[in-house]
Amino acid sequence: MIFRIVGISLIGVIVVLVLRSAKPEFAVFATIATGIVILVTLTSSLTQVILAFDGIVEKSGIDEGIFAAVLKIIGIGYLTEYSSSIANDAGCGSIAEKLQLGGKVVIFLVSISIVTSLVDVVTKLVNL
């Protein structure tokens, strides 16, 4: 798996370097396309990981809402990082920073459900 990802990345880097010298306006699109190909390559592995986590949640008795929130947080983090990298590659560092801030705020909002569930559990333990 890692060799496939490295191969795709190296081909993408070569294409981007060639485009930067010939047609710089298309280099960003090559970067985005390379990232999409890598993400598509990783989807089968990600599906296996999500199924494994789902099995852990079923065995542990953890609320599925918490599991869903954690998956959303992970997804938001990766998507924000990827988008921010593309913005930096395009020379828009200021937009990349705002994007990262936006991602952090959304992660904070999604994590409120986890904190609420944690407070509920602690309250039940204290009342026992």
Side-chain angles (χ1 to χ4, degrees), residues 7-121:
I8 293 167
S9 299
L10 291 175
I11 291 169
V13 167
I14 292 168
V15 170
V16 168
L17 291 175
V18 168
L19 284 174
R20 276 196 186 145
S21 62
K23 295 274 189 180
E25 61 272 12
F26 293 122
V28 173
F29 296 117
T31 302
I32 294 170
T34 301
I36 290 171
V37 171
I38 290 171
L39 289 175
V40 168
T41 303
L42 290 172
T43 54
S44 64
S45 297
L46 291 174
T47 303
Q48 293 172 357
V49 170
I50 291 172
L51 290 174
F53 272 120
D54 194 35
I56 292 170
V57 168
E58 286 180 20
K59 290 178 184 177
S60 67
I62 296 173
D63 182 24
E64 289 185 19
I66 293 174
F67 175 65
V70 168
L71 283 180
K72 285 179 188 177
I73 289 169
I74 292 169
I76 291 166
Y78 281 129
L79 186 59
T80 301
E81 179 65 27
Y82 178 71
S83 302
S84 174
S85 295
I86 290 173
N88 274 325
D89 289 345
C92 301
S94 179
I95 292 174
E97 290 175 10
K98 274 48 166 204
L99 180 60
Q100 288 177 352
L101 175 64
K104 290 173 186 175
V105 169
V106 172
I107 287 173
F108 177 70
L109 294 173
V110 172
S111 69
I112 290 174
S113 64
I114 296 173
V115 172
T116 303
S117 296
L118 180 63
V119 169
D120 290 343
V121 168

